[in-house]
Amino acid sequence: MKKVIIAMVALLVVAGGSFGAFLAVKNKSDKETEKQVSELAENEVFSFDSENVTEINFDCPDGHYRVVYEDETWKLDNNEFVIDQDYINTLLYLVSDFTAETNYGVPDDAKKAMYGLDNPSETITVSDGTENYTVYVGNITPTNDYYYFMAEGKDKVYTVSSLQGSVLKASRMMLKAKDLIPYGDTDIKQITVKKDGVITYDITYDTENSAWSMPEEYSELPFDQTAVTSMLTTLTRLEADQLLEEYLEDMTKYGFDKPTAEVSIKGIDGTEKNFLVGGQTDNNQTYLYVLMKDSNQVARYYTSDLNFINYRPLDFLPDSIASAGIYNINGFDFIFGDIQDSFTLNMNDRLLEMNGKSVDMENTEIYTCFQNFYNSFTTLIFTDTDVEVTPDNSDPVLTAIYHFDDMDDVKIDFVDAGNDKCYIFKDDIYSGGIVDMGRLTGKNSAQSFYSSFCERAGIVRTVKNNPLTEEE
């Protein structure tokens, strides 16, 4: 019994010791938490509703700027330049619930000078109509990790991370909008790009038909609306990587005396933005300089973002286009050198006649070979455009005439353009489009697919390089 009592006492002692240790740890934790809460409270700078802010004043080394909120946007009071909305919103997000990283207590004059707060480089005052919230920005710390700052109504020196502090380092260039153009996706009427003084492309938006097009001389070519949509998605969202100098006078400094491109973009509202694209900024060709003509503002943009200056009319054409859908026609004539074949066709019922003779389209090989043959000359893949020339189609390399039940015939001529190219005519009118001669002769061409089809269908033909001739 005595041993049991001793054991119970021992357990109580152990339990008491553990509980005491718990109380000691908890007490220490509570004090540390209270200390942290107290320090956090000491580091609280501002707390206000940014939605109520109507005015911000910036005193910077390069001037004083008053920014006001009007018509749901931030504007410079004198409208000298457009304000960067993202920058203002970022600034308000920071200062409206502003807690410093740490504080260095109340400074004397010597410490103020050491922190750069005897004569702050930037002063920012945010106003909501009833209260003003002012931040004085000092130097960056020796380790470049933090900025020193003070605030109106507070007597301490605080620090904020260098990343957040960079938002407080306001300047004219920080305030200026970084957008390449002031238009959204649906606000642009016309885009014109010149290189070496010659227009490389000019596209215009028809508001009535909601469609983009090139000038009249390209009207015979199909236009790919999605090509513009894709381009505008990037163009209307471009922002400068960095704004450089204003009021540029030396055009040779950034290569604007011999620009890579000249760009004019007109808005549906009647406004217009014109800018030059200069040379690369480094050997890696990462950036290009841009000069806004209206303000002589130089900016730096990523080269890849400005790829639209390298577009050609060809880039606004579909990758391929069928002269006539195989299921839409009732027949076609195929004229290639000495070959003149007439086809009657009903693809839905797999019925085909060639020169009045039935072809077994139930045979899978014949069916596939015929489709390959038809697509080889009917599917046009443009490789270039040239609207300056005036070729004639009196001696075409290949002619296809498509017949329909409910519309007139469509005639397509391939005319030798030299350099293994062909001009494309539609109904005897030059389209301005060019295709490779390889579509007609050589491997995987109209010539080779024609031969394969004839062979599978049991139609005897002698194939020469060009043209094909029917065997006697």
Side-chain angles (χ1 to χ4, degrees):
M1 176 63 72
K2 186 176 182 180
K3 289 182 179 180
V4 174
I5 293 173
I6 292 172
M8 291 179 65
V9 171
L11 287 172
L12 287 172
V13 170
V14 172
S18 298
F19 186 65
F22 168 74
L23 288 177
V25 170
K26 184 177 185 302
N27 185 51
K28 181 180 179 182
S29 177
D30 289 344
K31 287 182 177 180
E32 288 180 350
T33 300
E34 289 176 5
K35 181 181 178 183
Q36 289 173 356
V37 171
S38 176
E39 290 178 350
L40 190 63
E42 289 184 359
N43 293 345
E44 288 181 355
V45 183
F46 297 134
S47 181
F48 58 88
D49 188 353
S50 62
E51 295 292 327
N52 296 329
V53 176
T54 57
E55 179 180 332
I56 308 174
N57 283 272
F58 297 87
D59 284 294
C60 313
D62 55 12
H64 174 82
Y65 305 96
R66 178 173 173 266
V67 179
V68 295
Y69 192 67
E70 293 179 354
D71 302 324
E72 298 185 350
T73 190
W74 290 99
K75 300 177 181 178
L76 196 63
D77 62 346
N78 60 7
N79 292 317
E80 182 185 357
F81 55 80
V82 179
I83 290 293
D84 187 334
Q85 305 297 309
D86 289 338
Y87 170 68
I88 298 296
N89 291 331
T90 301
L91 173 69
L92 290 178
Y93 178 80
L94 171 63
V95 300
S96 64
D97 187 15
F98 201 4
T99 300
E101 293 282 344
T102 186
N103 75 75
Y104 286 81
V106 181
D108 55 24
D109 290 343
K111 286 187 176 180
K112 275 190 176 183
M114 182 177 68
Y115 298 139
L117 291 165
D118 57 332
N119 184 23
S121 57
E122 289 85 17
T123 299
I124 301 173
T125 300
V126 177
S127 304
D128 62 8
T130 58
E131 296 286 340
N132 292 333
Y133 306 92
T134 302
V135 179
Y136 306 99
V137 187
N139 300 331
I140 196 167
T141 61
T143 60
N144 293 327
D145 292 327
Y146 303 95
Y147 276 100
Y148 300 110
F149 74 93
M150 295 185 73
E152 189 69 31
K154 309 288 183 177
D155 58 0
K156 297 180 177 63
V157 172
Y158 301 95
T159 60
V160 64
S161 71
S162 57
L163 179 61
Q164 291 179 313
S166 64
V167 178
L168 302 175
K169 298 291 289 183
S171 66
R172 183 182 178 88
M173 294 307 170
M174 287 279 281
L175 290 169
K176 291 189 73 171
K178 314 302 184 296
D179 307 286
L180 179 64
I181 56 175
Y183 306 119
D185 295 349
T186 59
D187 300 329
I188 298 177
K189 173 70 175 178
Q190 185 176 9
I191 303 174
T192 306
V193 176
K194 291 182 181 180
K195 288 192 172 184
D196 297 323
V198 177
I199 294 176
T200 54
Y201 72 86
D202 182 17
I203 57 174
T204 304
Y205 185 70
D206 183 344
T207 54
E208 291 185 6
N209 297 313
S210 300
W212 287 89
S213 65
M214 289 187 284
E216 180 65 26
E217 54 265 34
Y218 293 95
S219 60
E220 295 297 323
L221 292 170
F223 192 95
D224 183 8
Q225 299 294 322
T226 62
V228 183
T229 302
S230 176
M231 183 180 77
L232 290 180
T233 298
T234 299
L235 177 59
T236 57
R237 292 162 177 78
L238 284 184
E239 292 187 355
D241 172 69
Q242 184 178 351
L243 295 183
L244 303 173
E245 61 185 283
E246 292 180 292
Y247 314 119
L248 180 71
E249 294 182 359
D250 182 5
M251 298 292 281
T252 65
K253 185 175 180 180
Y254 300 98
F256 295 126
D257 56 325
K258 297 178 180 179
T260 301
E262 301 174 62
V263 182
S264 172
I265 300 179
K266 296 180 180 179
I268 290 176
D269 60 1
T271 60
E272 184 174 351
K273 292 297 289 186
N274 297 286
F275 56 90
L276 304 178
V277 180
Q280 259 107 23
T281 65
D282 54 30
N283 293 329
N284 295 326
Q285 301 183 350
T286 305
Y287 303 101
L288 282 170
Y289 294 118
V290 169
L291 176 67
M292 298 298 172
K293 283 190 173 181
D294 56 353
S295 62
N296 273 9
Q297 170 72 62
V298 181
R300 190 177 74 176
Y301 288 82
Y302 284 104
T303 301
S304 57
D305 286 341
L306 297 179
N307 187 52
F308 71 91
I309 67 172
N310 299 317
Y311 277 38
R312 300 175 295 159
L314 180 67
D315 294 301
F316 298 104
L317 305 185
D319 292 335
S320 64
I321 183 172
S323 300
I326 196 170
Y327 287 91
N328 299 329
I329 63 173
N330 59 36
F332 66 94
D333 298 328
F334 176 74
I335 304 167
F336 189 21
D338 292 339
I339 291 295
Q340 296 188 28
D341 290 326
S342 179
F343 295 83
T344 302
L345 176 66
N346 183 335
M347 279 298 286
N348 288 309
D349 296 331
R350 289 202 176 194
L351 298 176
L352 174 66
E353 289 186 359
M354 177 178 177
N355 300 325
K357 297 180 181 179
S358 179
V359 177
D360 183 12
M361 290 288 277
E362 295 299 329
N363 182 296
T364 301
E365 286 192 23
I366 295 176
Y367 181 85
T368 301
C369 287
F370 175 74
Q371 282 191 313
N372 290 339
F373 158 59
Y374 182 83
N375 290 333
S376 67
F377 62 87
T378 300
T379 301
L380 301 177
I381 300 177
F382 294 103
T383 57
D384 204 353
T385 61
D386 188 348
V387 296
E388 301 298 323
V389 297
T390 54
D392 71 82
N393 64 330
S394 59
D395 186 24
V397 177
L398 184 151
T399 297
I401 303 172
Y402 303 93
H403 309 299
F404 304 84
D405 289 328
D406 54 358
M407 58 181 287
D408 294 338
D409 291 351
V410 172
K411 177 186 176 187
I412 300 294
D413 289 319
F414 294 74
V415 175
D416 190 355
N419 299 317
D420 294 323
K421 305 288 184 182
C422 283
Y423 299 121
I424 298 297
F425 282 75
K426 180 179 180 181
D427 295 331
D428 298 319
I429 298 174
Y430 173 49
S431 69
I434 295 174
V435 301
D436 287 338
M437 183 71 81
R439 298 286 298 171
L440 306 184
T441 61
K443 187 178 180 180
N444 296 326
S445 65
Q447 182 184 49
S448 62
F449 285 123
Y450 177 84
S451 297
S452 295
F453 164 69
C454 290
E455 181 181 346
R456 296 295 187 278
I459 301 168
V460 180
R461 287 287 189 271
T462 297
V463 181
K464 298 182 179 180
N465 288 334
N466 188 27
L468 299 172
T469 57
E470 185 173 2
E471 188 178 65
E472 295 292 338

